[in-house]
């Protein structure tokens, strides 16, 4: 009976050129580092590496500042403590930039008279700054003291956030159109007024808008080291099998932070913006009024102070930590050549940078994953900036309610998904093939779920004169704010002061509703009476827009977004591990910098701009002062939904295209790597080809990656060959009984016994 012995010989590592006695410069992939082996602890990226002084060996792996290195803090000189500090830095950064800032966008539009396009542009200033400096920060900083640079970035982030907040004291007191005025001027009275222009009124973009731009530039400078040098430093000092869990823990804090930021902004936005400069009891509008402006500036001051303090611990971490022993094997990229010739000159830096750039840009796996992330993150950034606006407009919610829903549902889904993706990657010890398969599965499911978002449709609110004609008017005459019921009122269109009639119609203002009387409770108008345009027995109206039954659909919309965010985020952690493993350790920091730059250049910078332009195209009512256009008061729900969700769905489909490119490249590299190993293991194996199936039998099946010289079994064997001997008939019995042929199991060489 034909049998073969399924013994498992230990894989022998390929001898290096130093072991063979050959010179380090004989092949383009040789590594020469002073004869002591490859050392990437300092984050080397280029062609040269400065030799570390022998007398500095102890201080480079111990915690402290300068010569102050007490023994009591040396327990902190490990990757776990660095991960802890980096995770909290990410949390405070996300709290400020992705939480408070995104939650305050609509408030900033009112305070500084911005359109959605302008606010979207402001949101990209920090990203543009990152794109400009990220190449130099990651290449030069990768060979410097990385923790110190990360700490300096945290302090810069804090200073930029504080600058955003202090502009509150530099702008004038917010005028919502009622302060210091007789509120009866917006009622139906003879000679009420017209659209005459007050030349003293402020028009156009606020003159302090450039200060916000400068603050965003500072934030962009501080943002750069966190996701590049910080992540690379952490990944360099943990075992590769554990790296996904460490990184997922950091990302978990980064994604949870916006949820906390949105919830805190929901609280601060219920407080009047000038609570420190005016008597709040004299404010004659409530948070339900679209003209309400909350205290947006408090969040920037709070998070800015935390970020400044968070930067201090990074200055105590050493230049390099003690690296763990690791025998992890995966898709192995070509390593760049290192020559130990001392310090680099400017020419050497430029030459080394361009050579590293060529290696990275010709890496198909890296480029496919990067642009998959670009497409997916374009949706994420646009949703972060405009999702509160979409919920407010489409479902007729208050700003605080919209921020609360996002903070409680959507963002936690992404946070849990990121941690889940990192956990299962470590739990099942997935390598690149399993990781990219899981990412492909989650992305396909997310695209399918986008169809569910389109089911949550809401019609435009019923606003006579804007979305439908007055009842007293003939529809053939068109839609206009002037009607027979308010002709004698001589109403001005300068002020959008919506009221809800007892007929459940939202009217442009009390004047346009034909209301002649007002009932007050303190400074607040609680009821308008004698409204000639309201068709109901009481002929009255209350301040604010009418609530609609469609508002309840927001909960279902956000619930679906929770599961979509969970799946999308769960696939990102394994995909990022593929990206990290696709480049050499010498190029890692530089590659992460380029990846970060691509995300900013092609995702976070343009996506808020073109999403904002599409949203502006759906505006029905603009705020105007003396002919100058400000922010939008009212949107066409149908056009808003089509533009917003249509762009998001298209970008998600595009991400799958790039993912397929990376998926094919991963399998191609693994096949080439296996073929190379087979060629080194014996003359017989050189004549055989690895017939590994393109799609694995199971995502959770752990492959046997050992290779054999003469008796070799397929990588997806359904048994453990480490101690037993099987007959050919016994092995094939499981397949023939199921009437199937499994190409994953191939006996390439059998020994006759």
């Amino acid at each position: 009976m034909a049998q073969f012995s399924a013994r498992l010989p230990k894989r022998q590592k390929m001898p290096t050129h130093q072991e063979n006695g050959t010179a380090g410069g004989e092949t383009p992939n040789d590594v020469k580092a002073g004869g002591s082996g490859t050392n990437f602890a300092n984050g080397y990226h280029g062609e040269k590496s400065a030799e570390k002084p022998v007398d500095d060996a102890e201080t480079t792996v111990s915690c402290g500042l300068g010569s102050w290195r007490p023994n009591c803090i040396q327990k902190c000189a490990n990757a776990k403590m660095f991960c802890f500090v980096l995770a909290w830095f990410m949390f405070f950064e996300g709290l400020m930039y992705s939480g408070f800032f995104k939650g305050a966008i609509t408030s900033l539009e009112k305070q500084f008279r911005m359109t959605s396009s302008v606010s979207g542009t402001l949101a990209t200033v920090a990203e543009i700054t990152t794109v400009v400096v990220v190449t130099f920060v990651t290449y030069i900083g990768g060979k410097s003291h990385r923790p110190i640079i990360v700490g300096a970035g945290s302090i810069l982030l804090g200073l930029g956030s504080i600058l955003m907040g202090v502009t509150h004291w530099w702008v004038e007191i917010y005028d919502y159109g009622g302060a210091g005025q007789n509120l009866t001027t917006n009622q139906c009275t003879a000679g009420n007024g017209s659209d005459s222009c007050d030349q003293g009124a402020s028009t156009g973009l606020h003159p302090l808008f450039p200060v916000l731009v400068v603050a965003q530039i500072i934030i962009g400078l501080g943002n750069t080291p966190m996701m590049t040098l910080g992540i690379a430093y952490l990944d360099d000092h943990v075992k590769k099998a554990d790296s996904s869990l460490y990184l997922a823990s950091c990302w978990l804090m980064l994604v949870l932070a916006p949820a906390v930021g949105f919830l805190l902004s929901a609280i601060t936005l219920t407080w009047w913006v000038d609570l420190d400069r005016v008597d709040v009891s004299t404010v004659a509008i409530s948070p339900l009024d679209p003209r309400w402006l909350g205290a947006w500036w408090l969040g920037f001051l709070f998070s800015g102070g935390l970020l400044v303090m968070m930067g201090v611990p990074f200055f105590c971490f050493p230049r390099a930590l003690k690296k763990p022993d690791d025998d992890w094997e995966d898709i192995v990229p070509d390593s760049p050549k290192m020559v130990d010739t001392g310090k680099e000159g400017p020419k050497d830096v430029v030459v080394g940078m361009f050579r590293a750039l060529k290696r990275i840009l010709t890496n198909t796996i890296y480029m496919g994953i990067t642009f998959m992330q670009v497409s997916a993150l374009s949706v994420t950034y646009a949703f972060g900036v405009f999702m509160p606006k979409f919920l407010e407009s489409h479902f007729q919610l208050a700003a605080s309610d919209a921020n609360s829903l996002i903070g409680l549902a959507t963002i936690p889904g992404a946070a849990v998904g990121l941690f889940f993706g990192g956990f299962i990657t470590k739990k099942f010890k997935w390598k690149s093939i399993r990781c990219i398969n899981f990412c492909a599965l989650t992305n396909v499911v997310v695209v399918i779920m986008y169809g569910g978002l389109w089911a949550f449709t809401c019609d435009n609110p019923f606003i006579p004169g804007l979305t439908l004609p007055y009842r007293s008017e003939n529809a053939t005459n068109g839609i206009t704010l002037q009607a027979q019921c308010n002709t004698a009122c001589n109403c001005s269109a300068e002020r959008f002061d919506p009221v809800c009639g007892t007929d459940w119609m939202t009217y442009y203002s009390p004047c346009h509703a034909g209301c002649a009387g007002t009932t007050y409770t303190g400074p607040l108008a609680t009821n308008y009476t004698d409204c000639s345009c309201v068709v109901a027995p009481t002929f009255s109206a209350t301040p604010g827009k009418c609530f609609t039954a469609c508002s309840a659909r927001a909960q279902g919309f956000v619930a679906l977004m929770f599961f979509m965010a969970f799946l999308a985020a769960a696939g990102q952690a394994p995909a990022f591990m593929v990206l990290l493993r696709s480049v050499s350790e010498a190029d890692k920091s530089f590659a992460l910098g380029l990846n970060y730059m691509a995300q900013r250049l092609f995702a976070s910078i343009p996506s808020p701009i073109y999403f904002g332009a599409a949203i502006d195209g759906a505006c029905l009512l603009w705020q105007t002062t003396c002919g100058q256009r400000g922010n939008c008061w009212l949107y066409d729900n149908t056009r808003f939904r089509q533009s917003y969700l249509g762009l998001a769905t298209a970008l998600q489909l595009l991400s799958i295209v790039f993912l397929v490119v990376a998926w094919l490249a991963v399998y191609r590299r693994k096949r080439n790597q296996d073929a190379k190993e087979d060629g080194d293991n014996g003359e017989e194996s050189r004549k055989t080809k690895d017939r590994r199936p393109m799609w694995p039998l199971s995502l959770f099946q752990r492959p046997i990656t050992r290779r054999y010289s003469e008796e070799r079994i397929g990588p997806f064997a359904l048994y453990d060959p480490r101690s037993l001997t099987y007959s050919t008939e016994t092995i094939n019995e499981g397949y023939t009984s199921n009437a199937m042929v499994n190409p994953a199991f191939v006996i390439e060489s059998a020994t006759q016994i």
Side-chain angles (χ1 to χ4, degrees):
M1 181 174 59
Q3 293 184 343
F4 69 92
S5 177
R7 299 170 184 171
L8 186 66
K10 183 176 181 181
R11 178 183 292 191
Q12 301 295 325
K13 293 185 178 180
M14 296 300 297
T16 62
H17 291 285
Q18 287 83 356
E19 294 170 348
N20 288 335
T22 58
E26 292 181 1
T27 64
N29 293 327
D30 290 337
V31 178
K32 183 178 180 181
S36 59
T38 307
N39 183 2
F40 298 105
N42 293 336
Y44 175 80
H45 296 294
E47 300 296 320
K48 298 185 178 181
S49 174
E51 183 177 3
K52 183 172 64 177
V54 177
D55 57 1
D56 194 42
E58 294 184 0
T59 60
T60 55
V61 294
S62 60
C63 283
L65 289 173
S67 59
W68 179 75
R69 299 178 182 275
N71 293 330
C72 60
I73 66 171
Q74 297 313 311
K75 292 182 179 180
C76 298
N78 55 69
K80 290 183 179 179
M81 181 56 65
F82 183 82
C83 178
F84 177 81
V85 177
L86 181 65
W88 278 105
F89 172 29
M90 289 184 171
F91 180 84
F92 293 137
E93 187 274 343
L95 182 74
M96 181 274 298
Y97 188 70
S98 300
F100 280 120
F101 178 58
K102 302 300 171 57
I105 281 291
T106 55
S107 299
L108 290 171
E109 289 178 355
K110 297 175 185 177
Q111 181 80 80
F112 296 93
R113 301 188 292 272
M114 296 185 289
T115 64
S116 295
S117 299
V118 174
S119 63
T121 302
L122 177 66
T124 64
V125 171
E127 315 297 345
I128 294 174
T129 305
T130 298
V131 169
V132 173
V133 302
V134 67
T135 303
F136 300 98
V137 169
T138 53
Y139 186 80
I140 305 298
K143 297 188 290 182
S144 305
H145 200 304
R146 288 180 285 181
I148 288 182
I149 298 177
V150 175
S154 180
I155 294 175
L156 282 175
L157 272 169
L159 295 177
S161 178
I162 292 173
L163 180 58
M164 288 281 291
V166 299
T167 54
H168 161 70
W169 288 286
W170 300 344
V171 298
E172 66 279 358
I173 294 177
Y174 175 66
D175 180 13
Y176 57 88
Q181 299 181 16
N182 182 0
L183 293 180
T184 60
T185 56
N186 204 27
Q187 297 175 15
C188 183
T189 58
N192 185 42
S194 61
D195 293 337
S196 59
C197 178
D198 180 6
Q199 297 300 327
S202 300
T203 60
L205 198 60
H206 199 284
L208 285 177
F209 177 77
V211 178
L212 301 182
V213 175
V214 173
Q216 287 294 304
I217 291 175
I218 297 175
I219 290 173
L221 291 173
N223 235 338
T224 306
M226 180 185 71
M227 292 297 292
T228 54
L229 301 181
I231 292 295
Y233 183 87
L234 178 62
D235 186 69
D236 285 347
H237 298 100
V238 298
K239 291 184 177 181
K240 302 311 177 189
D242 299 335
S243 179
S244 61
L245 188 60
Y246 278 92
L247 298 183
S249 300
C250 292
W251 291 333
L252 176 66
M253 298 292 283
L254 181 64
V255 178
L256 277 178
V260 179
F262 274 109
L263 291 176
L264 292 178
S265 67
I267 297 174
T268 59
L269 291 180
T270 60
W271 303 337
W272 184 243
V273 61
D274 294 312
L275 56 88
D276 59 325
R277 297 192 287 181
V278 301
D279 185 0
V280 179
S281 63
T282 62
V283 178
I285 59 176
S286 68
L288 296 177
D289 194 297
R291 295 169 296 165
W292 176 269
L293 183 60
W296 55 267
W297 49 276
L298 287 174
F300 290 107
L301 298 180
F302 173 71
S303 56
L306 292 175
L307 283 166
V308 171
M309 293 187 294
M310 197 65 241
V312 177
F314 286 101
F315 288 86
C316 298
F317 280 98
R319 182 187 184 100
L321 298 170
K322 183 179 179 180
K323 302 188 70 174
D325 296 330
D326 199 356
D327 58 353
W328 182 260
E329 296 181 2
D330 200 354
I331 53 172
V332 181
D334 294 334
S335 299
K337 181 178 66 177
M338 296 176 59
V339 182
D340 189 11
T341 58
K343 295 184 178 180
E344 293 180 326
K347 180 179 178 180
D348 298 322
V349 171
V350 174
V351 172
M353 183 184 297
F354 277 100
R355 289 181 178 176
L357 184 65
K358 180 181 178 181
R359 287 193 297 270
I360 294 170
L361 296 183
T362 55
N363 188 326
T364 308
I365 300 175
Y366 173 88
M367 296 300 292
I369 294 294
T370 295
F371 281 99
M372 181 275 292
Q373 293 175 332
V374 165
S375 301
L377 289 176
S378 296
V379 180
T380 302
Y381 285 119
F383 275 22
V385 175
F386 297 116
M387 182 56 74
K389 180 191 290 286
F390 180 80
L391 295 178
E392 291 177 42
S393 172
H394 198 71
F395 299 104
Q396 301 297 302
L397 300 178
S400 58
D401 294 334
N403 287 341
S404 297
L405 283 176
I406 294 174
L408 289 172
T410 305
I411 295 177
V416 176
L418 276 174
F419 186 79
F420 176 76
F423 174 77
I424 60 174
T425 301
K426 179 184 183 300
K427 175 68 175 178
F428 296 102
K429 300 186 182 301
W430 282 352
K431 296 185 179 180
S432 295
I433 292 178
R434 295 294 185 275
C435 288
I436 202 165
N437 287 340
F438 182 76
C439 182
L441 176 63
T442 56
N443 274 266
V444 170
V445 176
V446 168
V447 170
I448 296 174
M449 295 178 70
Y450 262 99
L453 294 180
W454 291 84
F456 295 91
T457 60
C458 288
D459 296 328
N460 288 324
F462 297 145
I463 305 179
L466 286 179
T467 62
L468 76 167
Y470 282 85
R471 288 189 177 94
S472 60
E473 300 299 310
N474 190 342
T476 59
N477 296 332
I479 300 176
T480 177
L481 287 172
Q482 298 300 324
Q484 294 180 5
C485 59
N486 60 23
T487 301
C489 300
N490 196 18
C491 302
S492 171
E494 287 285 338
R495 286 179 55 189
F496 180 55
D497 185 9
V499 294
C500 179
T502 53
D503 56 355
W504 289 102
M505 292 283 189
T506 298
Y507 293 88
Y508 190 90
S509 70
C511 180
H512 289 86
C515 301
T518 306
T519 302
Y520 292 94
T521 300
L524 293 175
T526 57
N527 195 40
Y528 296 98
T529 58
D530 300 329
C531 302
S532 58
C533 295
V534 178
V535 182
T538 58
F539 303 100
S540 62
T542 54
K545 293 185 289 186
C546 295
F547 289 103
T548 65
C550 196
S551 299
R553 297 186 181 182
Q555 299 177 3
F557 182 89
V558 173
L560 181 59
M561 286 290 298
F562 172 89
F563 292 105
M564 293 177 62
F566 171 82
L567 288 174
Q572 290 302 314
F576 192 76
M577 299 311 301
V578 176
L579 183 139
L580 286 177
R581 304 296 168 252
S582 69
V583 296
S584 64
E585 195 168 349
D587 291 332
K588 186 180 298 180
S589 291
F590 192 38
L592 286 177
L594 293 176
N595 175 266
Y596 194 66
M597 181 180 69
Q599 293 177 14
R600 268 63 192 163
L601 186 62
F602 301 112
S604 59
I605 292 176
S607 66
I609 296 176
Y610 59 73
F611 268 87
I615 292 171
D616 281 343
C619 184
L620 287 175
L621 177 63
W622 291 98
Q623 177 197 25
T624 56
T625 304
C626 299
Q628 296 291 328
R629 193 168 75 175
N631 60 290
C632 182
W633 289 121
L634 184 67
Y635 291 94
D636 184 317
N637 282 349
T638 301
R639 294 175 61 187
F640 196 165
R641 181 178 64 255
Q642 291 174 348
S643 301
Y644 194 55
L645 297 182
L647 281 173
T649 305
L651 287 169
Q652 195 67 40
L653 287 170
L654 183 62
S655 71
I656 294 181
V657 174
F658 290 116
L659 184 60
V660 169
V661 174
W663 182 79
L664 293 173
V666 168
Y667 274 94
R668 187 182 303 111
R669 178 178 290 187
K670 188 62 177 175
R671 279 183 164 185
N672 293 339
Q673 181 179 328
D674 292 344
K676 182 178 179 181
E677 292 178 0
D678 290 344
D680 294 333
N681 285 336
E683 191 68 32
E684 171 116 5
S685 296
R686 288 192 184 97
K687 301 177 182 179
T688 64
K689 293 184 179 180
D690 185 5
R691 292 183 285 275
R692 181 191 303 272
M694 288 296 291
W695 187 265
L697 300 179
S698 171
L699 284 172
F700 299 95
Q701 189 179 41
R702 187 178 302 175
I704 300 172
T705 56
R706 306 277 186 182
R707 294 292 177 266
Y708 309 93
S709 57
E710 294 183 358
E711 292 124 356
R712 178 171 178 269
I713 61 173
F716 296 93
L718 305 180
Y719 55 86
D720 187 350
R722 279 173 279 198
S723 60
L724 301 177
T725 300
Y726 296 82
S727 67
T728 326
E729 290 80 359
T730 302
I731 296 171
N732 291 326
E733 183 178 359
Y735 300 102
T736 56
S737 62
N738 294 308
M740 59 178 289
V741 177
N742 190 341
F745 179 78
V746 179
I747 301 178
E748 298 182 359
S749 175
T751 302
Q752 299 291 333
I753 296 179

